Amino acid sequence: MSNWNQIIGHDWAVQLLANALRHDRAGHAYLITGPAHIGKTTLARTFAQALNCTAVVDERPCGECRNCKLIAADRHPDVRLVQPDISSRGKPTIKIEQMRELQQGLSLAAYEGRYKVAILTQFDAANANAANAFLKTLEEPPNNVVLLLTANDADTLLPTIASRCRTIGLRPLPTDLIEQSLTTRWHVPEQQAHVLACLADGRLGWAVQASQDETILQTRAARLAQLQDVLAGNRVTRFDVADKLSRKAEELPDVLQSWLSWWRDLLVLAQAQRTAPAQHTAPAQHTAPAPLALTNVDHETALRELAAAWSSPHILESLQQTNLALWQLQRNANTRLVLENLFLTYPQRAA
Ligand SMILES: [Zn+2]
C-alpha cells in the first residue's frame, strides 16, 4: 500500500505527482500553495519519499524502506528541509545564508537517493537577497535536483520564481471529510470531531493538532476575545491592542485568519436574517437552500445578536478590511500601521 494514502483529500494533486513519477517526468521545481495547516509540507515530504523510495514503481512511496523512513523523520542526507528562522521581532525570514548553504549541498552528488530534494517551506518569508540567490538555482538547477517550495499564495513570491515552478494549489477540504478523518484515523470522539471540523476552515492539519493540544483552542478563544475588546473599545484601547499585537508579528496572520472567519460568520448570519421571514416559527426545511455553514459554531448565540444589530454592508466592509490587512502583512507592510488602520474601520460595539 502506497504512502500516498497518508494524504487526505487533495486527490488530484497526488494523481498529478504520482503520474509524473510513473512516466519519469517529474519537474525540477514545484510550488505548493494554500493556507497554513492544509497539508503542503506533508505533500512535499511524501513526494520526496516517492522520488527516492526503493520499492517497485507502483508502490512508491512505500513508507517502509530506509529512504522513506529517513525522509519521514527529516533525516535523509539527500532531502533538505529549509524553514524560515524566527527573528527577534518574531518575523519568519529565510536568509541568504540559508540559500548559500542549500546551494552548496545541492551541488554535491546524491549520497543515497536518486534525487536530491530541497523542501523550502513558507517561501513567502524569503527576503529579497535570499529570493534572488535562490532564483539562480532555479534557473540552472543541477541534475537530479527537485525543488519543492510551499507558500500561502503564489502572488507573494517574485514572479520570476513562481513562473519557473509548476504550481499546485491546495484548496481547503470539505468539513465532513475532516470530521470523518478525525473520527476514523485519529479516533477523536464524534462530538469533538464535529466542532473541530467546523472550526478548521478546511485545514485538516489544524484540526488534528487542535484535537491533541488543548492550548490551540485556548489560543483561538483568546484571539476572538481580543477582537471583542477592539470592537468594544475606544480609539485609545484599539491603538493599545494594535501595539501589543504588532510585537508578535509572527502570530498575526493566524490572528487575522480567526478574525476573518468570525466576520464571515457574522455576514452569513446577517444576510440570512435579512432574507428570512420576520416571524418566529421554525422554518420549513424544504423552502430554502441549506444555509452556509458557520465556522465558529461555539459562538453562534453572540454572533446572531450582533448580526441583528449591524448592517450587512458594515459587516462586509470589516471583512474586506481584515482581508486587506492580511494581504498587506504578507507583503511586509508596517505591522502597527496596518492594524491601526484596520481598527479605525471597525464598527464600535455598544458596551
Ligand atoms: Zn519507500
Side-chain angles (χ1 to χ4, degrees):
M1 190 192 245
S2 160
N3 217 33
W4 284 121
N5 289 310
Q6 71 175 333
I7 294 172
I8 294 168
H10 313 310
D11 295 356
W12 66 272
V14 167
Q15 282 302 326
L16 186 137
L17 293 174
N19 278 336
L21 274 184
R22 206 169 290 131
H23 300 113
D24 207 14
R25 285 212 302 259
H28 71 83
Y30 290 85
L31 168 62
I32 305 170
T33 61
H37 305 300
I38 203 168
K40 302 186 293 293
T41 308
T42 305
L43 182 65
R45 201 182 274 115
T46 310
F47 187 45
Q49 286 181 319
L51 285 165
N52 280 326
C53 178
T54 52
V56 296
V57 174
D58 282 343
E59 284 168 23
R60 292 177 194 166
C62 69
E64 300 295 332
C65 70
R66 176 182 156 79
N67 283 343
C68 278
K69 283 187 171 162
L70 285 175
I71 293 168
D74 288 328
R75 285 177 43 223
H76 194 286
D78 297 316
V79 178
R80 307 202 32 160
L81 185 65
V82 179
Q83 293 174 297
D85 279 338
I86 306 294
S87 74
S88 55
R89 287 222 51 211
K91 206 169 172 49
T93 312
I94 295 178
K95 300 201 183 100
I96 190 162
E97 293 78 18
Q98 290 170 280
M99 292 301 107
R100 294 217 174 103
E101 211 182 302
L102 175 70
Q103 281 159 344
Q104 218 161 30
L106 292 178
S107 67
L108 305 170
Y111 293 101
E112 299 193 17
R114 280 184 299 273
Y115 291 92
K116 296 208 82 141
V117 183
I119 301 173
L120 300 106
T121 66
Q122 287 179 263
F123 202 72
D124 1 27
N127 65 25
N129 288 340
N132 280 316
F134 181 73
L135 190 54
K136 295 204 176 71
T137 307
L138 205 51
E139 282 167 342
E140 294 167 32
N143 279 338
N144 296 325
V145 162
V146 177
L147 305 164
L148 305 174
L149 280 64
T150 77
N152 274 17
D153 184 348
D155 291 350
T156 54
L157 304 186
L158 287 179
T160 42
I161 288 183
S163 67
R164 283 178 171 80
C165 299
R166 298 189 193 174
T167 301
I168 298 178
L170 299 187
R171 314 281 299 169
L173 298 184
T175 305
D176 51 357
L177 178 59
I178 293 181
E179 184 171 339
Q180 184 202 335
S181 309
L182 286 176
T183 52
T184 56
R185 276 206 203 196
W186 283 276
H187 310 294
V188 176
E190 272 177 35
Q191 180 59 27
Q192 192 192 356
H194 175 69
V195 174
L196 288 176
C198 290
L199 294 182
D201 254 342
R203 301 161 302 151
L204 176 62
W206 182 91
V208 170
Q209 282 181 19
S211 74
Q212 294 162 349
D213 175 0
E214 62 188 21
T215 63
I216 291 177
L217 284 186
Q218 288 162 1
T219 304
R220 165 184 168 270
R223 284 172 183 164
L224 291 181
Q226 204 153 33
L227 174 60
Q228 301 315 311
D229 289 348
V230 170
L231 295 177
N234 59 19
R235 207 177 158 121
V236 177
T237 315
R238 290 179 177 208
F239 280 21
D240 188 42
V241 176
D243 181 51
K244 274 192 198 131
L245 282 172
S246 65
R247 291 164 201 267
K248 292 189 239 163
E250 85 283 8
E251 290 176 16
L252 260 187
D254 288 344
V255 172
L256 291 185
Q257 286 291 357
S258 9
W259 293 3
L260 259 186
S261 77
W262 189 89
W263 284 113
R264 204 163 48 223
D265 282 351
L266 199 57
L267 187 65
V268 166
L269 289 172
Q271 294 193 325
Q273 285 178 358
R274 229 166 40 121
T275 51
Q279 47 188 340
H280 296 278
T281 52
Q285 300 222 331
H286 58 274
T287 53
L292 279 169
L294 292 188
T295 300
N296 301 287
V297 281
D298 50 344
H299 285 257
E300 188 172 343
T301 312
L303 282 163
R304 279 190 188 283
E305 281 170 21
L306 270 183
W310 285 348
S311 74
S312 292
H314 268 122
I315 298 169
L316 178 61
E317 171 72 6
S318 295
L319 176 67
Q320 286 169 336
Q321 291 292 339
T322 309
N323 200 32
L324 175 67
L326 195 59
W327 186 90
Q328 289 167 329
L329 290 177
Q330 281 167 352
R331 283 155 187 82
N332 294 316
N334 179 302
T335 308
R336 195 177 153 154
L337 268 181
V338 168
L339 287 174
E340 286 179 358
N341 285 335
L342 174 64
F343 292 171
L344 288 176
T345 68
Y346 277 174
Q348 172 98 31
R349 179 181 187 170

